[in-house]
Amino acid sequence: MTQRFAVIGIDHRHVYELTQYLIDAGLECAGWWNVTTNPHVLEGFRRRFPHLPEVAERERLMDDQGIGLVVTAAIPSERAALAIEAMRRGKDVLADKPGITTRADLAAVQAAVAETRRKFTVAFGDRWASPASARARELVQAGAIGRLVSTTGMSPHRMNRQTRPDWFWDARTNGSILVDIGCHQIDSFLHLTGREEAEIVHAAIRSVAPERTPVADFQDWGEMILRNDVCTATMQMHWFTPDGLADWGDGRAFIWGTEGFIELRKNLDLLGRDGGQHLFLTNNAKTEYIACAGQKVGTFRAFAADLRDRTETAMTQSHCFAVCRLALEAEERALAG
Amino acid sequence: MTQRFAVIGIDHRHVYELTQYLIDAGLECAGWWNVTTNPHVLEGFRRRFPHLPEVAERERLMDDQGIGLVVTAAIPSERAALAIEAMRRGKDVLADKPGITTRADLAAVQAAVAETRRKFTVAFGDRWASPASARARELVQAGAIGRLVSTTGMSPHRMNRQTRPDWFWDARTNGSILVDIGCHQIDSFLHLTGREEAEIVHAAIRSVAPERTPVADFQDWGEMILRNDVCTATMQMHWFTPDGLADWGDGRAFIWGTEGFIELRKNLDLLGRDGGQHLFLTNNAKTEYIACAGQKVGTFRAFAADLRDRTETAMTQSHCFAVCRLALEAEERALAG
């Protein structure tokens, strides 16, 4: 039987991808709630998915016993409460990142998962949808670069000031920069190292260029160093992608091992090869380029199977909570100074 | 009148470059002392500079009143004492990096400079000899990427275990990894920001892969985060260049501004353009590639003029000491844990 999902919360445009990936993974969209703080996304959703049932009554979707999954890209600070409501009504939840923006919400969601036995999953798209990241992990696990020494991630994002809703500019509604866009790198680090623990060695949040934003305290630069028993990780995330770049950010990852290293150029290869998802592997034998664009990642298909079989192959519940917890810990550390 | 220099200390192969750069800058090598801990370098020096006078008596060079500059690539921990001796005998000093490996040596050299009015200069080759770094600074100063937000440096080095002398493996003689190869990035950061002050936000030293080294505590990974009133800087340095890389290290720098960013690929462009010294500039107007290989840097010529004119155009004395001091501070911070 085809699994059915509802979309409740179309405040961030990430909802397009989440919906499409789930449909591609074989799920059926039973309907989407058309109330939003973001008219751009309402229009975009209608244009992209003209055949999906538009629903004005949120309760109809929450009440529908034939719907097993709620997908949400609501205002980040409202995702936890929505998820808890959905889980209590028998539904699993797939949230856009960040799924959780406060310690209290994390505790409440953890309690709701324990109570309802439903799944609360955050789609960390930077890894879930990146064939280059998937290939890098395969190479590391196969020993292509020896033991892990360090990882370094750089995640620049274009600000797109004109199309951002009000809640984007406030860390209380959008989540801090470490939680909002830092969570991707924490997810990648834990996934690559196969761990759910890490020490926050360093964390900083800055508001460098208030002249570019409607508020003075927008967090436009974040950095972290995490460490666990496998390796150390340096993470940078920020909102300084210039207009002259051909994509929304020149996302990179450098993975160093005792016997080699991998560079990922996820979005693009500056004035080089076409497209994205480029992987460069150098070890004691050679330097090799591996084109990963178009390669299947399979995480959303694995997630669909997990929903059906009650397994945890795409991502364990504890991994998901570990990412959320570490991001909040890093934020606390950064704000403490 | 041509300025004359002596080479005293050929324990590290960097002495080849220092000697050549000075000759290229118009100085004359009056002689070089042929005692060393490193027979590879003795042989290499003879082969590269067959016409330069080889001297067995160190005192002859120190006593020669016609020699104004002593150049040294002695064992790092012995450079300060040698420099102090040379300055007290009326000579300026150009040291390979690291010029100073302890706080006590820093204080002693500072006192000797004040007492003798001679110059103590460390050639931070990663910048002094890099046209890509020089061009990046020009672009930043011209406002090509707006105000500085952050810099990130990655300095992998090939270990070359077979040709390293014993003192290389001991931080007490070679300097810690933050002092030995971290000093380059501190130099670049201070130079780019036009400052001599920075806060050590984070510093760490690790011995990741003792199976690769003759000692268990060789420092094969170092990282720092520094910050001043201009921007923040992330610095990584390590000894994990794999054999399959076409150069001794894939040195990179990422310079982020409020209106653009610069990437430097100093050693090579992985499976891309030939040679080194590649610069990529992206700002609000465009992404542009700038080939910097072969462009003149001019730092050694400026240094030669400084010797003659008693000016400080290549590098101020206080900048040099600031780099040494910050590297030692970072080391202390890292060792404190």
Side-chain angles (χ1 to χ4, degrees):
Chain A
M1 197 184 84
T2 307
Q3 302 171 87
R4 299 168 75 237
F5 70 95
V7 178
I8 302 181
I10 58 164
D11 298 278
H12 195 292
R13 50 181 288 129
H14 286 154
V15 74
Y16 306 148
E17 292 171 20
L18 292 181
T19 302
Q20 189 61 55
Y21 286 138
L22 289 172
I23 291 170
D24 293 346
L27 272 66
E28 176 192 337
C29 181
W32 60 281
W33 187 45
N34 65 4
V35 174
T36 177
T37 56
N38 198 330
H40 296 291
V41 181
L42 178 63
E43 187 194 339
F45 202 91
R46 280 184 178 139
R47 195 172 58 244
R48 281 173 179 78
F49 303 105
H51 305 301
L52 297 186
E54 182 173 333
V55 175
E57 304 79 35
R58 186 175 176 281
E59 290 308 293
R60 245 186 62 200
L61 296 170
M62 283 285 188
D63 282 339
D64 187 335
Q65 296 303 306
I67 291 172
L69 174 71
V70 165
V71 176
T72 186
I75 298 172
S77 59
E78 298 179 2
R79 290 172 188 171
L82 190 153
I84 292 167
E85 182 186 354
M87 288 190 284
R88 292 207 169 124
R89 292 165 88 161
K91 289 155 177 56
D92 295 311
V93 173
L94 182 67
D96 178 30
K97 66 81 211 167
I100 286 171
T101 59
T102 68
R103 284 274 195 182
D105 280 348
L106 175 58
V109 170
Q110 286 176 314
V113 165
E115 166 200 324
T116 64
R117 318 289 285 179
R118 294 297 92 193
K119 290 178 183 293
F120 173 81
T121 304
V122 181
F124 299 110
D126 188 49
R127 174 175 66 83
W128 276 40
S130 168
S133 295
R135 187 64 185 273
R137 187 174 187 243
E138 288 170 11
L139 289 165
V140 169
Q141 289 189 319
I145 60 169
R147 284 184 292 119
L148 284 173
V149 174
S150 78
T151 68
T152 300
M154 302 176 173
S155 300
H157 287 63
R158 182 166 284 143
M159 185 175 280
N160 291 324
R161 175 174 174 165
Q162 298 312 321
T163 61
R164 298 288 181 180
D166 288 347
W167 51 260
F168 173 78
W169 305 104
D170 188 339
R172 285 168 301 187
T173 42
N174 194 49
S176 72
I177 188 168
L178 304 186
V179 165
D180 177 24
I181 52 180
C183 63
H184 285 303
Q185 293 194 47
I186 297 174
D187 167 60
S188 290
F189 172 60
L190 294 185
H191 186 67
L192 189 69
T193 58
R195 296 290 188 271
E196 293 179 2
E197 291 297 331
E199 176 193 354
I200 312 291
V201 176
H202 164 73
I205 292 173
R206 295 166 64 210
S207 298
V208 177
E211 74 276 12
R212 298 165 67 239
T213 58
V215 297
D217 62 349
F218 180 71
Q219 301 173 347
D220 52 19
W221 176 269
E223 63 190 26
M224 297 181 265
I225 294 183
L226 270 65
R227 181 168 52 195
N228 63 20
D229 65 316
V230 177
C231 76
T232 183
T234 296
M235 310 180 185
Q236 299 177 345
M237 57 237 62
H238 60 87
W239 292 99
F240 290 105
T241 292
D243 291 342
L245 192 79
D247 202 359
W248 55 262
D250 183 5
R252 304 280 186 104
F254 295 85
I255 304 169
W256 280 88
T258 53
E259 310 289 335
F261 69 99
I262 291 168
E263 177 182 358
L264 304 182
R265 300 178 190 166
K266 296 190 201 175
N267 296 72
L268 79 169
D269 181 21
L270 287 176
L271 299 178
R273 297 161 181 82
D274 287 340
Q277 303 295 328
H278 308 280
L279 186 154
F280 297 82
L281 166 68
T282 304
N283 56 25
N284 287 325
K286 61 178 185 303
T287 297
E288 179 184 2
Y289 169 72
I290 301 175
C292 301
Q295 300 296 306
K296 287 221 184 314
V297 180
T299 312
F300 281 88
R301 283 207 171 268
F303 176 69
D306 288 342
L307 292 175
R308 186 187 62 221
D309 306 335
R310 311 317 290 170
T311 48
E312 294 197 319
T313 60
M315 182 167 76
T316 65
Q317 185 62 70
S318 59
H319 171 99
C320 178
F321 285 143
V323 175
C324 298
R325 173 179 54 80
L326 287 168
L328 291 167
E329 274 185 34
E331 176 189 336
E332 288 159 8
R333 165 90 174 235
L335 297 180
Chain B
M1 197 185 83
T2 306
Q3 303 171 87
R4 298 167 76 237
F5 69 96
V7 177
I8 302 181
I10 58 164
D11 298 278
H12 195 292
R13 49 181 290 128
H14 285 153
V15 73
Y16 306 148
E17 291 170 20
L18 292 180
T19 302
Q20 190 61 56
Y21 285 138
L22 290 171
I23 291 171
D24 294 345
L27 272 67
E28 177 192 337
C29 181
W32 60 281
W33 187 45
N34 65 4
V35 174
T36 178
T37 56
N38 197 330
H40 296 289
V41 181
L42 179 63
E43 186 194 338
F45 202 91
R46 281 184 178 139
R47 195 173 57 244
R48 281 174 179 77
F49 303 105
H51 305 300
L52 297 187
E54 182 173 332
V55 175
E57 305 79 35
R58 187 174 176 281
E59 290 308 294
R60 245 187 62 200
L61 295 170
M62 283 285 189
D63 283 339
D64 187 335
Q65 296 303 308
I67 291 173
L69 174 71
V70 166
V71 176
T72 187
I75 298 172
S77 60
E78 298 179 2
R79 290 173 188 171
L82 190 153
I84 292 166
E85 182 186 353
M87 288 190 284
R88 292 206 169 125
R89 293 165 88 160
K91 289 156 177 57
D92 296 311
V93 173
L94 182 68
D96 178 31
K97 66 82 211 167
I100 286 172
T101 59
T102 67
R103 285 275 194 180
D105 280 348
L106 175 58
V109 170
Q110 286 177 314
V113 165
E115 165 201 325
T116 64
R117 318 289 285 179
R118 294 296 91 192
K119 291 178 183 294
F120 173 82
T121 304
V122 181
F124 299 109
D126 188 50
R127 175 174 65 84
W128 276 40
S130 168
S133 296
R135 186 64 185 273
R137 187 174 187 244
E138 289 171 9
L139 289 166
V140 169
Q141 290 188 318
I145 60 169
R147 285 184 291 119
L148 284 172
V149 174
S150 78
T151 68
T152 300
M154 301 175 174
S155 300
H157 287 63
R158 182 166 284 142
M159 184 175 280
N160 290 324
R161 175 173 174 166
Q162 299 312 320
T163 61
R164 298 287 181 181
D166 288 347
W167 52 259
F168 172 78
W169 306 104
D170 188 339
R172 286 167 301 188
T173 42
N174 194 49
S176 72
I177 189 169
L178 304 186
V179 165
D180 177 24
I181 51 178
C183 64
H184 285 302
Q185 292 194 47
I186 297 174
D187 167 59
S188 289
F189 172 59
L190 294 184
H191 187 67
L192 190 68
T193 58
R195 296 289 188 272
E196 293 178 1
E197 291 297 331
E199 176 192 354
I200 312 290
V201 175
H202 164 74
I205 293 173
R206 296 166 62 209
S207 298
V208 177
E211 74 276 12
R212 299 166 67 240
T213 59
V215 297
D217 61 349
F218 179 70
Q219 301 173 347
D220 52 18
W221 176 269
E223 64 189 26
M224 298 182 265
I225 294 183
L226 270 64
R227 181 169 51 196
N228 63 20
D229 66 316
V230 178
C231 74
T232 183
T234 297
M235 309 180 186
Q236 298 177 345
M237 58 236 61
H238 60 88
W239 292 99
F240 290 104
T241 292
D243 291 343
L245 192 80
D247 203 358
W248 54 263
D250 183 4
R252 305 279 186 105
F254 295 86
I255 304 169
W256 280 88
T258 53
E259 310 290 334
F261 70 100
I262 291 168
E263 178 182 357
L264 305 183
R265 300 178 190 166
K266 296 189 200 176
N267 297 72
L268 79 169
D269 181 22
L270 288 175
L271 300 177
R273 296 161 181 82
D274 287 340
Q277 303 296 328
H278 308 280
L279 187 154
F280 297 82
L281 166 67
T282 304
N283 56 25
N284 288 325
K286 61 179 184 306
T287 296
E288 179 184 2
Y289 168 72
I290 301 176
C292 301
Q295 301 296 307
K296 288 219 184 314
V297 180
T299 312
F300 281 89
R301 284 209 170 266
F303 176 68
D306 288 342
L307 293 174
R308 185 187 63 223
D309 305 334
R310 311 316 290 169
T311 48
E312 294 196 318
T313 60
M315 183 167 74
T316 65
Q317 186 61 73
S318 58
H319 171 100
C320 178
F321 285 143
V323 175
C324 298
R325 172 177 55 78
L326 287 168
L328 291 167
E329 275 185 32
E331 177 189 337
E332 288 159 8
R333 166 88 175 236
L335 296 180

